[in-house]
Amino acid sequence: MSKKPQLDSQLKLPCGAVLKNRLAKAAMTERLATKGIANDHLANLYRLWAANGAGLLISGNLMVDHRYKEAGGNIVLEDETGLEQLQKVTTAGTSYGTHFWAQISHPGRQATIFSTFKPIAPSPIQLHKMMLFAKPRDMTVADIKEVEHRFIRCGELCKLAGYSGIQLHAAHGYLLSQFLAPKTNLRSDKYGGSIENRARLLLDLVDGLREKLGSSYPISVKLNSADFQRGGMSVEDFLYVLEALKSAGVDLLEISGGTYEGTDFLTDRYKKDSTRKREAYFMDFASQVRAHSKMPLMVTGGFRSYSFCQQALADDELDVVGMARPFLQQIDFPKGFIEGSIDRIPDADFKVSIKMLADFAEAGFYDFQIHQLAKGKSLKPQYNPYSAVVRLVKNEISKGWFKG
């Protein structure tokens, strides 16, 4: 009888790469780059996280096009500009036998006005949130082909820079997710309509990247479990994409959920009873995925206790536990957690009474903690959430507009 996997057990991926354990730092936007170029602060941050014991680190959004950014301070990788600085970051992130993967992304209609007033998207459907997003124009086929070229070129540059793998971000309402979701993709050409058409760009990217990067280089994809709103991908759509990605040779599928319009899954009051009992947000959906495919699976969202993570692995519900905010709760996380000496990592405790500022306060709070770690400073769990809003907006204004 084979031994049941635990957090500290290795995982061999289909491409042959081996993760030293089953705990991953999921992507969090760093907002630390200088005009799209990596710097010592990013190297400091990933050196710390690599030393703390996670088997896999996934970077924040790495942009394929300087004209369309998810946030000020994103790394932009279009050519070899800044490659030397980026190699310092990947050297830090891959130390201690850690895998460090680049999350490659395009925001589509979720490029804020701090980045552009002329975003692009599958269809001209505007994102209405705090007047921060302009109406996008619908992409031509030539635009789609250019984006495809940019993603593939970016993947090649990531390998050259020293990342040990890549992840395509097709979740959380970004461009690839916008193509997949019928609510944001109203096209009538070969990129719209059926799920086969809506998934075409994503699958073409996987095929193109595999051809360029080789059979032994890890390629991951992040997908939404659901869009948490009407018009999102159905379970049937998801399972079609899952099977297609498996056939295309994807090494690790990460499932998460939500979009900029649907962030209710982040707060306790919107969790179903089944979710509260099971701790992590998307385990019910992960069970459906697991029943359909044995593709290596990472689930991110809500994991906080060692015992629950161990049980989920032992029950073969997933292969990798994805965590993000816990890395910003304790400066040495996850050392003790993987060893089992720490059973639970708490959430930050802060209140925001102005509901319309809640998302900004939360994002700003964690952004501040990332910057503290990057500068070699202590975490500040009591940081004022309203100060976080002001700081985040100032950062976006100062770093949002630049020519890559």
Side-chain angles (χ1 to χ4, degrees), residues 202-227:
L202 174 61
L203 297 175
D204 285 349
L205 288 177
V206 173
D207 288 342
L209 285 162
R210 179 57 75 200
E211 181 182 350
K212 293 291 186 181
L213 301 179
S215 60
S216 62
Y217 192 77
I219 296 177
S220 171
V221 173
K222 184 171 186 173
L223 288 176
N224 272 358
S225 62
D227 283 339

Side-chain angles (χ1 to χ4, degrees), residues 300-332:
T300 299
F303 292 100
R304 293 297 181 268
S305 69
Y306 175 81
S307 56
F308 183 83
C309 294
Q310 291 284 68
Q311 191 62 55
L313 286 165
D315 291 344
D316 194 33
E317 294 184 280
L318 46 73
D319 298 288
V320 179
V321 174
M323 303 176 81
R325 292 175 179 179
F327 285 79
L328 303 176
Q329 295 300 110
Q330 292 184 4
I331 200 164
D332 59 350

Side-chain angles (χ1 to χ4, degrees), residues 380-394:
K380 290 189 176 181
Q382 305 306 316
Y383 185 61
N384 186 294
Y386 295 104
S387 296
V389 173
V390 174
R391 181 183 170 280
L392 184 66
V393 173
K394 286 174 63 177

Side-chain angles (χ1 to χ4, degrees), residues 16 48 51-53 85 98 159 170 188 193 198 202 219 224 233 254 261 271 286-287 309 319 339 347 364 379 401-402:
L48 171 67
N52 283 349
Q85 294 91 326
T98 307
K159 184 176 181 180
S188 58
R198 287 183 278 121
L202 174 61
I219 296 177
N224 272 358
M233 275 200 345
E254 179 185 359
E261 290 178 311
K271 294 182 191 175
S287 297
C309 294
D319 298 288
E339 296 166 355
D347 285 310
L379 295 170
W401 287 299
F402 71 84

